[in-house]
Amino acid sequence: MAHLLMVESWVGSMSRLLPRAIREGGHEFTFLTRDLHHYLRSAPEGATHPLLGARNVITADTNDTDALLPEIERLHEVLRFDGVITSCDYYLPTVARIAGHLGLPGSTPEAVEDACRKDATRRVLADSGVPGPRFAVHEEWADIARAAREIGYPLVVKPVDLCAGMYVRRVDDEEQLAAAVRALADLPVNARGQRREPAVLLEELLDGPEVSVETVSHAGAVHVVGVTDKSIGGAPAFIETGHMFPAALSAADAEAAEQTALAALKALGLTDGVVAHTEIKLTSAGPRVVEVNPRPAGNRITELVRHMTGIDLAAAFVEVSLGREPDLRRSDTGLRSAAIGFLVPATSGTLESLDGGELRDAPGVLEVQLAAPGKQVKAAGSNNEYLGHVMAGDAEGLGARDHVEVLLGELRSGLVIR
């Protein structure tokens, strides 16, 4: 039995999938957090969050890595960790530093830090010749405005250190750019109390569909599990409204996406101890890297992969974090595609009605998860405001996405927000 140290977590899907994978792998974990109430609040009423089923739950300031390292070193002398892990983007660099400090498996801290900082990713990939958009990074308004004119409108404004699409916006002119920059300046810390970098990333607006490449890195080799497609809505934001695995691509486009992702991972040095989710735009000029995430995909993409191939990416994440070879053997699940669609609110208010009872028994449906009436709803500006999702599979071919869209249409007809 191996013993993992888990440093913080998202409170969504992966916060349940990862503890389950650790347990089903015959392992145990110690959970380290700076704010236990963050997880207590996220558990359904009357239930205990799976993260709190850890062998040990320890409180420490996970935002102060320099002070944390000697504390973890002392814990390691007593508890003997075999690996360290997190599902939360904001703590991936911390985990990499802990692993390096304790001599545990994982990619180098430099590689993980570069992948988690969007501006650093851009510079590393550009220096390595991996294709991406034209970009600029600045802090001062005069520099930002000048760079925007040089790149040319429309363009994309991004924070360098947030995730889930937060504050990523298309801007069509200098007035919209100024508003986007002001919004970022008004957010000095992230949701976990970490001080943000003031730099603003500007990128060329890329054309074409977006996909992601799901990979597992172990012992210097990167294994491609497959390519997922993505639908985007909520302009001028870029909100993920659905996914399908595998993506409905030609063999040539799928190969181009895979090779571009592999080049990005190699350039960053993410070739060991990583399950990665690399986003690619298939533009008219060829594939371009959007971003590289050195952790398993969110938005239930790992479950689409599992339903389709039998490969459990959460379990693979646990094994590579322990320095062990993951089980990536495919099995015949009876499905040829699996898709998920998200219910994205366009208005704010109180959720009065949302009934999906009949959908749960519809043919091909794998999951239905919906918010309860009474929930306070915020018009979506990122991937954090969903009202639920529907997941379905297709045993015949690549029809899962169309099936999900029909089911979402039925849901929307009964959605009432006041």
Side-chain angles (χ1 to χ4, degrees):
M1 175 186 291
H3 185 193
L4 286 126
L5 173 64
M6 188 186 301
V7 181
E8 303 290 2
S9 170
W10 288 126
V11 293
S13 172
M14 194 53 65
S15 72
R16 290 163 173 78
L17 294 175
L18 207 49
R20 184 188 75 185
I22 292 171
R23 185 178 64 252
E24 291 180 352
H27 313 308
E28 60 184 4
F29 70 100
T30 287
F31 185 53
L32 191 70
T33 177
R34 66 187 290 268
D35 180 11
L36 190 58
H37 293 286
H38 185 77
Y39 304 95
L40 292 171
R41 288 190 297 268
S42 71
E45 188 174 348
T48 302
H49 200 290
L51 291 167
L52 305 186
R55 171 179 160 183
N56 311 288
V57 177
I58 299 173
T59 301
D61 188 354
T62 52
N63 284 353
D64 187 346
T65 307
D66 290 336
L68 188 63
L69 289 176
E71 190 170 348
I72 287 179
E73 193 171 347
R74 290 190 291 273
L75 287 172
H76 183 53
E77 290 174 1
V78 177
L79 299 176
R80 305 310 304 174
F81 303 119
D82 300 295
V84 57
I85 198 169
T86 186
S87 66
C88 182
D89 297 55
Y90 298 138
Y91 295 96
L92 289 165
T94 302
V95 161
R97 283 191 62 187
I98 293 170
H101 187 71
L102 298 182
L104 297 175
S107 289
T108 66
E110 295 78 14
V112 175
E113 288 166 7
D114 284 344
C116 290
R117 278 283 300 262
K118 293 180 175 67
D119 53 339
T121 299
R122 283 279 167 253
R123 293 187 183 105
V124 170
L125 297 189
D127 289 346
S128 300
V130 179
R134 289 179 292 125
F135 72 96
V137 185
H138 294 290
E139 294 184 18
E140 300 300 327
W141 168 249
D143 296 326
I144 292 169
R146 184 184 67 254
R149 291 190 294 270
E150 290 171 355
I151 293 172
Y153 293 98
L155 50 77
V156 180
V157 178
K158 294 182 177 181
V160 299
D161 53 3
L162 292 176
C163 49
M166 292 182 66
Y167 292 84
V168 178
R169 295 291 183 270
R170 168 180 168 149
V171 297
D172 293 307
D173 54 40
E174 194 163 295
E175 183 179 356
Q176 292 179 7
L177 175 63
V181 171
R182 284 195 301 270
L184 279 174
D186 289 341
L187 189 75
V189 297
N190 66 24
R192 297 305 181 97
Q194 297 169 332
R195 183 154 293 279
R196 292 194 50 253
E197 292 292 331
V200 175
L201 175 61
L202 305 178
E203 294 181 355
E204 168 192 9
L205 180 67
L206 299 173
D207 63 1
E210 187 170 330
V211 300
S212 63
V213 182
E214 322 308 334
T215 56
V216 179
S217 301
H218 173 65
V222 183
H223 180 92
V224 175
V225 175
V227 182
T228 312
D229 76 7
K230 177 185 298 187
S231 55
I232 302 292
F238 295 84
I239 300 171
E240 297 177 1
T241 60
H243 303 279
M244 186 171 77
F245 186 90
L249 298 175
S250 68
D253 280 345
E255 175 70 11
E258 292 174 6
Q259 291 304 316
T260 302
L262 290 173
L265 292 168
K266 181 179 179 182
L268 287 162
L270 296 171
T271 58
D272 194 22
V274 177
V275 175
H277 169 73
T278 304
E279 296 172 346
I280 306 284
K281 271 275 196 178
L282 298 173
T283 79
S284 54
R288 298 288 184 269
V289 175
V290 175
E291 62 184 42
V292 179
N293 300 281
R295 43 82 179 157
N299 273 351
R300 305 292 283 173
I301 289 174
T302 57
E303 292 302 277
L304 297 181
V305 172
R306 185 178 63 83
H307 281 300
M308 251 296 299
T309 69
I311 296 172
D312 186 337
L313 287 174
F317 189 31
V318 170
E319 293 306 307
V320 298
S321 297
L322 291 168
R324 302 180 180 185
E325 185 173 357
D327 183 0
L328 300 178
R329 292 173 296 178
R330 293 173 179 258
S331 58
D332 187 353
T333 64
L335 294 180
R336 296 296 171 262
S337 63
I340 187 168
F342 300 100
L343 196 58
V344 181
T347 59
S348 300
T350 301
L351 180 60
E352 187 170 293
S353 175
L354 178 58
D355 184 13
E358 295 181 3
L359 294 187
R360 299 179 195 279
D361 298 322
V365 169
L366 301 170
E367 288 181 12
V368 177
Q369 182 177 313
L370 303 173
K375 176 182 172 66
Q376 293 303 302
V377 178
K378 178 184 175 184
S382 71
N383 298 336
N384 292 325
E385 287 88 29
Y386 300 135
L387 292 180
H389 68 257
V390 179
M391 185 186 295
D394 180 10
E396 304 299 326
L398 298 176
R401 174 180 288 285
D402 290 343
H403 186 29
V404 161
E405 288 299 328
V406 171
L407 297 173
L408 279 177
E410 295 176 17
L411 271 180
R412 292 188 190 102
S413 67
L415 172 64
V416 178
I417 299 173
R418 298 196 188 280

